[in-house]
Amino acid sequence: MTRKTVRIAMNGVTGRMGYRQHLVRSILALREQGGLDLGDGTVLWPEPVLVGRREHALKALAEKHGLDEANISTDVDAVLADDSIDIFFDAAMTSGREEVLKKAIAAGKHIYTEKPTATGLEGAIELARLAREAGVKSGVVQDKLFLPGLLKLKRLIDGGFFGRILSVRGEFGYWVFEGDWQEAQRPSWNYRSEDGGGIVVDMFPHWEYVLHELFGRVTSVNALATTHVPTRWDEHGKPYDATADDSAYGIFEIEGGIVAQINSSWDVRVNRDELVEFQVDGTEGSAVAGLRNCRVQHRSATPKPVWNPDLPATYSFRDQWQEVPDNTEFDNGFKVQWELFLKHVFAGADYHWDLLAGARGVQMAELGLKSSAEGRRLDVPEISL
């Protein structure tokens, strides 16, 4: 076996997602398993270079995980000028992403990035065009496609379980503490539109790729975005005005006549089995998929509910569904996509979750906000370079 070291600049790694999912559960997990076997006698050894604004936080991470302190930096430009860096990854604040990705592309680095890729569709398409012209490979995190629950749902779709799919209903969200008497679980910038915050910008790109990959291209969007909690308290305990939407209610039409309804909220208390659930109904059967689990009810086993408000129900509707077995081992979805991207860059493996796919997510968020502001349904044009 030949070991090839891959140096990956990880910008924004001190943030929640950058640290937990991308550094610890993906890159460091790959190191713990001995690297990534490309299948041709080569093993990729990822070497993270931690990039951020707070040097003390970067040093603390390096010390905690036994990483060389020489591989930390608060100077993004210096990192991009380093010829030994192969890949630039960004999980920093959305508002600065477009600019830093342009710099990384100009420096000839392969790009892997969180969503959204830009604050507007024009900028997102420009990034995809620049990457293609520069000959660098790009990837956009689309982690929910690799969740066990959605992988089981995809298995059902590919096997024809549903017959003709009619509709999709999604529920996502949880209660994010306001920050006055309990610490908020999300950073305050998420609730300021001027800093790139808002649940539409955060979650509609997810819904675009989930719907696109599982059911087909989204052809229209009709959304209502609102700010249910207008005042929150920041990391220093100071009150601030929440200028970004914290809840969104969307209806999406999909090619072939499928209708999807997805509610997204940071102001909802959870009364479901998982933080996100999708119910898919078809002529031959239905399924409810979450992060890990998936339940089904086939046409042949569909009971006959009787509407009688005068008598209490003597049975559980949930008990009438069948659990879909795992039938395989599921790895962390972020790690799986990192592996696919690394194989794409260094072994030429197929990969289509690129910056153009990311631009579709930005388009969905942009149209969602416009639909809400104008109070009308909007068509979703196809985009290309």
Side-chain angles (χ1 to χ4, degrees):
M1 285 285 186
T2 301
R3 192 168 92 164
K4 176 180 176 60
T5 298
V6 179
R7 284 172 56 78
I8 304 171
M10 304 188 73
N11 187 38
V13 75
T14 56
R16 178 176 57 93
M17 292 295 291
Y19 172 66
R20 294 178 185 174
Q21 296 293 1
H22 293 286
L23 179 62
V24 175
R25 297 172 185 168
S26 296
I27 299 304
L28 295 185
L30 281 172
R31 289 162 65 95
E32 289 171 4
Q33 74 180 31
L36 177 62
D37 189 349
L38 295 182
D40 62 354
T42 304
V43 173
L44 291 183
W45 180 253
E47 185 175 289
V49 177
L50 310 184
V51 185
R53 293 175 296 175
R54 297 175 295 151
E55 185 175 13
H56 68 280
L58 297 173
K59 285 184 176 180
L61 287 184
E63 181 179 357
K64 180 177 181 179
H65 296 286
L67 300 173
D68 189 344
E69 280 197 16
N71 284 337
I72 68 171
S73 178
T74 58
D75 189 339
V76 174
D77 291 334
V79 169
L80 292 177
D82 185 346
D83 291 336
S84 71
I85 299 295
D86 301 289
I87 294 172
F88 181 83
F89 167 72
D90 188 66
M93 286 180 59
T94 300
S95 56
R97 182 160 298 145
E98 184 178 342
E99 179 183 357
V100 76
L101 290 184
K102 282 182 178 179
K103 288 182 177 180
I105 291 169
K109 311 303 181 187
H110 299 298
I111 302 297
Y112 192 60
T113 181
E114 269 290 354
K115 308 159 299 300
T117 56
T119 55
L121 178 58
E122 184 177 344
I125 293 176
E126 176 71 359
L127 285 174
R129 183 187 64 79
L130 290 173
R132 180 169 296 184
E133 290 177 353
V136 302
K137 296 181 178 179
S138 65
V140 177
V141 180
Q142 303 198 343
D143 53 286
K144 288 178 175 52
L145 295 175
F146 305 95
L147 292 169
L150 290 191
L151 289 172
K152 294 174 187 178
L153 183 59
K154 181 69 162 58
R155 187 196 308 163
L156 293 170
I157 294 170
D158 292 344
F161 170 81
F162 296 101
R164 181 169 62 87
I165 295 177
L166 309 174
S167 64
V168 182
R169 289 197 299 280
E171 289 285 345
F172 165 81
Y174 50 96
W175 190 271
V176 177
F177 299 132
E178 295 91 328
D180 51 350
W181 64 284
Q182 289 194 68
E183 182 181 353
Q185 311 97 299
R186 301 187 68 89
S188 58
W189 72 262
N190 280 182
Y191 299 91
R192 292 190 290 265
S193 58
E194 60 270 26
D195 291 333
I199 202 165
V200 170
V201 171
D202 189 66
M203 296 309 303
F204 272 39
H206 284 290
W207 307 149
E208 192 285 327
Y209 70 70
V210 167
L211 296 175
H212 186 104
E213 294 280 335
L214 294 181
F215 306 104
R217 191 179 76 83
V218 177
T219 58
S220 78
V221 57
N222 193 349
L224 172 63
T226 188
T227 306
H228 287 310
V229 178
T231 302
R232 292 181 178 269
W233 283 256
D234 65 17
E235 292 78 4
H236 306 290
K238 295 181 179 180
Y240 67 94
D241 293 334
T243 55
D245 47 279
D246 57 24
S247 298
Y249 310 90
I251 300 175
F252 309 91
E253 292 179 274
I254 301 170
E255 58 186 0
I258 301 173
V259 177
Q261 307 168 69
I262 304 180
N263 296 328
S264 314
S265 180
W266 290 323
D267 308 308
V268 61
R269 294 178 175 90
V270 182
N271 184 21
R272 66 187 93 94
D273 291 337
E274 303 192 62
L275 290 185
V276 62
E277 287 187 343
F278 297 94
Q279 177 162 337
V280 181
D281 290 300
T283 55
E284 297 297 320
S286 298
V288 176
L291 297 170
R292 298 203 60 84
N293 299 318
C294 184
R295 304 186 306 276
V296 294
Q297 189 173 94
H298 191 259
R299 177 185 184 188
S300 61
T302 300
K304 183 181 179 180
V306 177
W307 170 253
N308 189 342
D310 299 319
L311 294 176
T314 58
Y315 48 83
S316 168
F317 288 108
R318 289 179 184 268
D319 291 344
Q320 297 168 349
W321 293 66
Q322 177 184 0
E323 197 74 30
V324 176
D326 289 351
N327 288 353
T328 188
E329 294 290 330
F330 296 106
D331 205 346
N332 178 278
F334 289 87
K335 176 172 173 280
V336 169
Q337 195 177 357
W338 264 106
E339 291 175 340
L340 292 173
F341 181 68
L342 291 172
K343 289 178 179 178
H344 171 59
V345 173
F346 295 101
D350 290 339
Y351 190 92
H352 64 273
W353 303 290
D354 58 7
L355 283 169
L356 186 59
R360 292 200 307 267
V362 174
Q363 178 191 44
M364 183 70 76
E366 195 171 83
L367 288 174
L369 291 172
K370 184 178 181 181
S371 169
S372 180
E374 298 180 358
R376 64 189 181 98
R377 168 186 170 278
L378 296 175
D379 291 333
V380 181
E382 290 193 62
I383 61 174
S384 60
L385 298 183

